[in-house]
Every structure is written in C-alpha cells, then in structure tokens.
C-alpha cells in the first residue's frame, strides 16, 4: 500500500488520473479472477451412505457409475486422499454419471458422493466407496 501512495505522490495531473484508472482496472481484474475460481458450497450432513468396497492395483482406473435423476446432481462430498486416488474425469454416460479416479499409490481412500438438488447443501442420498490400492 505504501508503494501505491508513493506512486501517486510522484505523478500529478493526467498521470495521476491514468494511474488511478490502471489501479481500478487491476483491482477489477483481480476481483473477477478470484470469483471465477469459486466452487459450490459444501454439502450438509450426510444420511447413512451405502458402502461398497473396491480393490485396485496401483496405476489402474476406478470408475464409479451413479444413476441420474432429473433435477439432482451427484457431488463429491468429502475430500479424497490424493496420495491414493486422484480424480481423472467425470461425465454423463447414458443414464449414469461416471466418476473416474486413478489409483496413484498404495493405501486406502474413501470416495463419498452425495446427491443434492443443484448446489444446495441438503443431501438426499449418499454412497461411499472404500478403495484399497495394492
């Protein structure tokens, strides 16, 4: 902030107006960049999830297919242990939403997915996949 004050003290008249304009443009660009990276709000409390256990080998892909319902979205509800699994892609395949993870390291990780209406926090269904990577 002190550098900005020194900059304005150095320039007078038209240079001061140009400097203020440049500062305003930079501030607007920064604000736009910060809001562009915003994500959906976290999901609320989860109902008891249906649990599926999966075993995979390191380097393999683990796909999770979830049924689509009109007006509802599946969202990853909890952080996934990134030293074991990393999300590769997701997409709609026929009547399902498919999440694909790569098994990157040995260990155990849980993928908890919640069904919500849009980006609202209320959860209608939850599933959990406990993945063991060997």
């Amino acid at each position: 902030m002190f550098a900005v004050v020194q900059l304005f003290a150095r320039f007078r008249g038209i240079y001061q107006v140009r400097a203020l304009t440049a500062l305003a443009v930079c501030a607007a660009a920064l604000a736009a960049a910060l809001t562009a990276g915003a994500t959906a709000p976290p999901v609320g409390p989860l109902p008891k999830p249906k649990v599926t256990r999966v075993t995979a080998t390191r380097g393999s892909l683990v796909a999770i297919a979830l049924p689509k319902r009109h007006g509802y979205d599946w969202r990853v509800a909890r952080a996934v242990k990134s030293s074991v699994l990393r999300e590769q892609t997701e997409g709609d395949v026929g009547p399902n939403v498919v999440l694909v993870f790569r098994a990157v390291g040995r260990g155990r990780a849980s993928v908890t997915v919640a069904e919500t209406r849009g980006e609202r926090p209320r959860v209608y269904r939850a599933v959990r996949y406990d993945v063991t990577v060997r």
Side-chain angles (χ1 to χ4, degrees):
M1 188 67 182
F2 183 70
V4 173
V5 172
Q6 285 182 335
L7 177 70
F8 289 140
R10 185 178 288 175
F11 297 107
R12 298 278 188 246
I14 191 71
Y15 294 111
Q16 190 173 14
V17 172
R18 286 183 184 169
L20 282 172
T21 304
L23 182 63
V25 168
C26 289
L30 178 63
L34 290 176
T35 57
T39 60
V43 297
L46 298 174
K48 185 174 180 179
K50 177 183 173 193
V51 179
T52 303
R53 288 176 173 68
V54 178
T55 302
T57 57
R58 193 171 35 168
S60 65
L61 297 175
V62 178
I64 298 171
L66 304 161
K68 271 193 295 190
R69 288 198 304 172
H70 182 70
Y72 293 85
D73 294 322
W74 286 102
R75 295 168 48 194
V76 176
R78 302 290 182 254
V80 178
K81 193 173 181 182
S82 63
S83 63
V84 178
L85 289 177
R86 292 202 183 128
E87 186 173 359
Q88 294 295 298
T89 188
E90 64 181 74
D92 295 334
V93 179
N96 297 313
V97 174
V98 178
L99 306 173
V100 180
F101 293 86
R102 180 170 301 279
V104 294
R106 293 182 181 181
R108 293 181 182 175
S110 291
V111 179
T112 304
V113 187
E115 187 179 48
T116 62
R117 279 195 172 272
E119 294 187 355
R120 296 183 185 130
R122 181 171 178 208
V123 177
Y124 295 91
R125 285 195 289 180
V127 294
R128 186 178 82 217
Y129 288 82
D130 290 337
V131 181
T132 302
V133 179
R134 297 179 184 197

